[in-house]
Amino acid sequence: MNIVNKINLVKSAYPHLFKNFPKTVKIVEVSPRDGLQNEKQFVPTETKINLINKLSESGLKVVESTSFVSPKAIPQMADAVEVLKGINRIEGVSYPVLVPNVKGMETALKCNVEEIAVFGAASEAFTQKNIKCSIEESLKRFSDVIQMAKENQIRVRGYVSCVMGCPYEGEIDPQNVQLVAQIMKDMGCYEISLGDTIGIGTPGIKFFQIILLAEKTEILFNTVKLERGMLAAHFHNTYDRAIQNLVVALGVNIIVQISIQNGISVIDSSVAGIGGCPYAKGASGNVATEDVLFLLDLLGIEHGVDVHKLCQVGDYISKELNRDNLAGVSSKDFEKII
Ligand SMILES: CC(C)(COP(=O)([O-])OP(=O)([O-])OC[C@H]1O[C@@H](n2cnc3c(N)ncnc32)[C@H](O)[C@@H]1OP(=O)([O-])[O-])[C@@H](O)C(=O)NCCC(=O)NCCSC(=O)C[C@@](C)(O)CC(=O)[O-]
């Protein structure tokens, strides 16, 4: 039984479980950054600009556009300044960029950014590999960056990576995720995105009360508590479980019929499912925006995106990258939803 049938079945049998779902969900489109950062061939700046413009024309309100990081660490983002200069900024659309340190923030300020994202992790080993410092040192750096952002009225989003586990350390205690998320929030991040960097979240698969897989996703979202609306889910689809994990994060475990009280209403996703982190072995594509929109339509949750335009963007970037489109649904599938 596929996920769509499962959701419909559970929805009709247990309508009360679905009352926790938010009425609307904000999509944070990460394909121009997370989607492209791991591409081996340099993607032409013009293609990146076209991608961002097409995404914002589809009704998306947040399009994470690039990173002001070391070009030695992420060569694909070396044209960050040109990308930001080249895009058509639509009023009401936010174009956040990743910033790891003061040097990145200085460049961001010159590019008139209105929103940035700092990115940490709940794993020491991943933090060392990704940004070459300890968690403690990373938080000090973020504090300096956030101070500069505050002085310039720039909004700051925070990422916590490896929330379900780390490719180097293995298990990560959800309490550590809570700790890092809370510190970032206290520093001034308006939203915290929880990154299942290598896609190992499990939505709790049970068969007649026998647990076949640990319920990592449910445990995490029941442990990490910030104010309602502050948490975002950033899932990778390495083992094809991102959509099931999202249903749990939104508020209910459809398989074991349990409600999460404080579900998320912000989802990070990437058109055509492109993406991955070069510093996380096993991090394959992000959950596809097309699949997320399909899920939201199915659940009757508003998202404000023109799904047909968005599907065209997925086809565009897949063709440019010479890759298969990893989205599970296409434009015509949306017409079948009643
Ligand atoms: C953090 C550093 C800079 C530390 O790297 P470092 O080597 O310790 O930095 P450094 O301060 O010693 O400087 C080394 C060189 O980098 C330059 N440099 C230094 N900073 C910058 C900057 N901001 N912009 C441009 N250049 C910079 C600096 O000028 C110098 O240049 P050189 O003198 O050798 O020519 C580096 O490790 C880095 O840039 N890391 C970025 C890694 C990254 O972007 N990873 C992917 C994003 S995270 C992710 O994908 C996960 C997420 C968010 O999607 C959520 C999830 O899925 O979990």
Side-chain angles (χ1 to χ4, degrees), residues 177-331:
V177 179
Q178 165 72 33
L179 196 68
V180 177
Q182 184 70 48
I183 293 172
M184 283 180 155
K185 186 224 145 192
D186 293 344
M187 280 179 180
C189 292
Y190 78 94
E191 188 172 281
I192 303 292
S193 176
L194 300 181
D196 180 12
T197 316
I198 48 173
I200 53 169
T202 45
I205 311 264
K206 277 192 182 175
F207 185 71
F208 290 115
Q209 300 309 311
I210 300 164
I211 299 169
L212 299 180
L213 279 171
E215 297 147 358
K216 275 177 185 286
T217 307
E218 192 179 60
I219 291 167
L220 181 84
F221 282 91
N222 274 325
T223 307
V224 182
K225 302 261 182 251
L226 298 182
E227 282 96 58
R228 201 170 180 92
M230 272 202 77
L231 283 181
H234 180 107
F235 288 149
H236 286 257
N237 201 28
T238 319
Y239 303 103
D240 208 19
R241 293 198 294 258
I243 286 290
Q244 286 98 318
N245 285 327
L246 273 177
V247 178
V248 175
L250 277 166
V252 67
N253 185 327
I254 58 158
I255 300 160
V256 293
Q257 300 145 23
I258 294 171
S259 291
I260 285 181
Q261 290 312 308
N262 192 6
I264 53 107
S265 53
V266 185
I267 297 176
D268 299 359
S269 61
S270 175
V271 77
I274 58 173
C277 175
Y279 293 95
K281 199 163 166 266
S284 69
N286 291 74
V287 65
T289 308
E290 295 88 326
D291 295 350
V292 173
L293 298 180
F294 190 76
L295 173 75
L296 297 178
D297 278 1
L298 198 71
L299 297 174
I301 299 173
E302 286 167 29
H303 50 70
V305 181
D306 182 326
V307 294
H308 301 293
K309 275 192 185 169
L310 199 276
C311 287
Q312 285 171 11
V313 188
D315 291 338
Y316 163 78
I317 195 63
S318 303
K319 193 161 169 249
E320 290 294 316
L321 300 179
N322 199 17
R323 279 172 173 269
D324 289 340
N325 186 331
L326 297 178
V329 296
S330 62
S331 212

Side-chain angles (χ1 to χ4, degrees), residues 59-207:
L60 285 159
K61 292 288 177 239
V62 188
V63 182
E64 191 179 75
S65 297
T66 186
S67 306
F68 289 119
V69 295
S70 160
K72 284 181 190 142
I74 309 281
Q76 189 60 255
M77 298 285 115
D79 58 355
V81 172
E82 292 75 25
V83 168
L84 272 197
K85 276 192 187 146
I87 57 173
N88 303 324
R89 296 194 199 193
I90 297 179
E91 214 183 317
V93 178
S94 184
Y95 300 91
V97 298
L98 257 59
V99 171
N101 55 14
V102 166
K103 185 176 170 75
M105 191 63 198
E106 284 165 355
T107 318
L109 288 175
K110 287 185 198 139
C111 294
N112 298 323
V113 302
E114 290 170 354
E115 179 171 341
I116 62 156
V118 291
F119 50 106
S123 150
E124 279 295 345
F126 180 79
T127 308
Q128 285 291 352
K129 295 267 182 202
N130 197 38
I131 51 174
K132 297 190 171 58
C133 63
S134 64
I135 295 179
E136 197 184 347
E137 171 61 22
S138 74
L139 294 171
K140 278 197 206 119
R141 289 184 192 173
F142 301 157
S143 167
D144 294 341
V145 168
I146 292 170
Q147 187 54 38
M148 290 168 80
K150 280 182 187 159
E151 284 160 13
N152 291 279
Q153 289 82 48
I154 291 171
R155 280 153 52 94
V156 186
R157 188 172 202 249
Y159 277 106
V160 183
S161 284
C162 300
V163 297
M164 309 273 188
C166 167
Y168 309 104
E169 269 179 35
E171 289 297 312
I172 294 292
D173 185 344
Q175 293 293 350
N176 291 350
V177 179
Q178 165 72 33
L179 196 68
V180 177
Q182 184 70 48
I183 293 172
M184 283 180 155
K185 186 224 145 192
D186 293 344
M187 280 179 180
C189 292
Y190 78 94
E191 188 172 281
I192 303 292
S193 176
L194 300 181
D196 180 12
T197 316
I198 48 173
I200 53 169
T202 45
I205 311 264
K206 277 192 182 175
F207 185 71

